């Protein structure tokens, strides 16, 4: 081995770590500014200043504001994804995790607004976030359906329930309630979702139990 190769490896590793740290700082700054002031009202220059870098430096990592928005959305999804990693625990457990996320969303209405408004805009053909949200909704539906199938297999949910249809409806209900809450936050969003999930489980579970199950 060339004796001079080791120092170069260390320098490369250090430069990668510095680049990762810079990207993380930019995403964190963008998340804060997009949440507080809105996506369209926030300039690339302002994000760069907030992150402690130049606009040229920011564009070295993200080639535009749309790319940066996708990085913000993905960074939050990563923090939630682990909660839905084991759908084999069934629908009751999955709905509990959904409620945990909704609690977080209700406490961070600016970020929730960013997700909801961007998802709506992504329905426009050619929108840069269209593919992201298509995949996101597909994953949510598939996770819901898998959890429902697991509960049917365990005998906890009636066998006549359609996992795909119910999985899709669960996404529609939660997103619909979030949209209504953002427009008029005059009701308890987590409480409304909890009540709906509890009523749903009582209607489809074999023993008629809700979110808490049978003691």
């Amino acid at each position: 081995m060339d004796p001079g190769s080791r120092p170069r490896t260390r320098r490369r590793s250090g430069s990668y770590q510095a680049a990762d740290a810079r990207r993380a700082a930019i995403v964190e700054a963008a998340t804060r500014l997009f949440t507080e002031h809105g996506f369209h009202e926030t300039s690339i220059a302002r994000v760069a200043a907030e992150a402690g870098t130049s606009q040229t430096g920011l564009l070295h990592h993200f080639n535009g504001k749309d790319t940066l928005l996708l990085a913000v959305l993905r960074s939050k999804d990563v923090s939630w994804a682990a909660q839905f990693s084991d759908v084999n625990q069934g629908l009751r457990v999955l709905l509990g995790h959904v409620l945990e996320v909704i609690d977080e969303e209700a406490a961070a209405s600016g970020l929730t607004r960013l997700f909801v408004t961007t998802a709506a805009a992504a329905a426009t053909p050619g929108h840069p976030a269209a593919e992201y949200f298509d995949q996101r909704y597909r994953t949510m539906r598939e996770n819901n359906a898998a959890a429902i199938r697991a509960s049917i297999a365990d005998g906890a949910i009636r066998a006549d329930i359609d996992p795909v249809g119910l999985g899709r409806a669960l996404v529609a209900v939660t997103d619909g309630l979030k949209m209504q809450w953002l427009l008029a936050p005059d009701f308890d969003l987590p409480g409304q979702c909890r009540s709906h999930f509890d009523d749903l489980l009582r209607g489809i579970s074999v023993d008629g139990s809700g979110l808490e199950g049978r003691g």
Side-chain angles (χ1 to χ4, degrees):
M1 177 182 291
D2 179 0
S5 65
R6 291 186 178 179
R8 283 198 297 272
T9 300
R10 286 197 293 269
R11 282 196 295 272
R12 288 191 67 198
S13 177
S15 67
Y16 289 151
Q17 290 174 359
D20 289 344
R22 178 58 62 199
R23 285 176 61 89
I26 292 169
V27 171
E28 182 180 346
T31 300
R32 184 164 55 251
L33 291 172
F34 291 169
T35 297
E36 294 176 358
H37 305 289
F39 172 70
H40 294 292
E41 291 74 18
T42 302
S43 67
I44 284 288
R46 186 171 185 182
V47 175
E50 184 79 6
T53 189
S54 65
Q55 185 168 335
T56 301
L58 185 152
L59 292 173
H60 172 74
H61 296 286
F62 303 96
N63 62 15
K65 199 161 72 161
D66 288 338
T67 304
L68 183 54
L69 173 62
L70 288 174
V72 168
L73 298 175
R74 289 190 176 109
S75 71
K76 192 57 187 174
D77 266 351
V78 167
S79 70
W80 287 332
Q83 294 171 282
F84 302 96
S85 60
D86 189 3
V87 294
N88 291 324
Q89 295 181 77
L91 181 59
R92 185 174 281 111
V93 172
L94 180 138
L95 292 179
H97 291 322
V98 171
L99 288 171
E100 291 171 3
V101 170
I102 290 173
D103 280 337
E104 292 182 34
E105 291 178 316
S109 61
L111 187 58
T112 302
R113 186 178 303 279
L114 180 66
F115 263 88
V116 171
T117 56
T118 307
T124 304
H127 192 281
E131 183 178 353
Y132 164 79
F133 277 103
D134 177 54
Q135 182 58 54
R136 185 173 192 266
Y137 280 123
R138 183 181 297 115
T139 298
M140 291 167 68
R141 294 193 303 267
E142 289 174 353
N143 284 348
N144 290 347
I148 294 163
R149 291 189 187 97
S151 288
I152 291 173
D154 288 344
I157 287 179
R158 299 196 326 259
D160 63 322
I161 299 300
D162 173 17
V164 174
L166 180 55
R168 187 182 299 275
L170 286 171
V171 176
V173 167
T174 54
D175 274 26
L177 284 172
K178 279 185 280 189
M179 174 62 82
Q180 293 179 60
W181 179 75
L182 288 168
L183 290 169
D186 55 358
F187 66 95
D188 175 11
L189 174 63
Q192 189 79 55
C193 291
R194 178 175 291 277
S195 177
H196 173 77
F197 291 164
D198 191 61
D199 288 344
L200 170 69
L201 282 174
R202 291 182 188 280
I204 66 174
S205 61
V206 171
D207 62 2
S209 61
L211 277 172
E212 303 303 323
R214 292 294 187 190

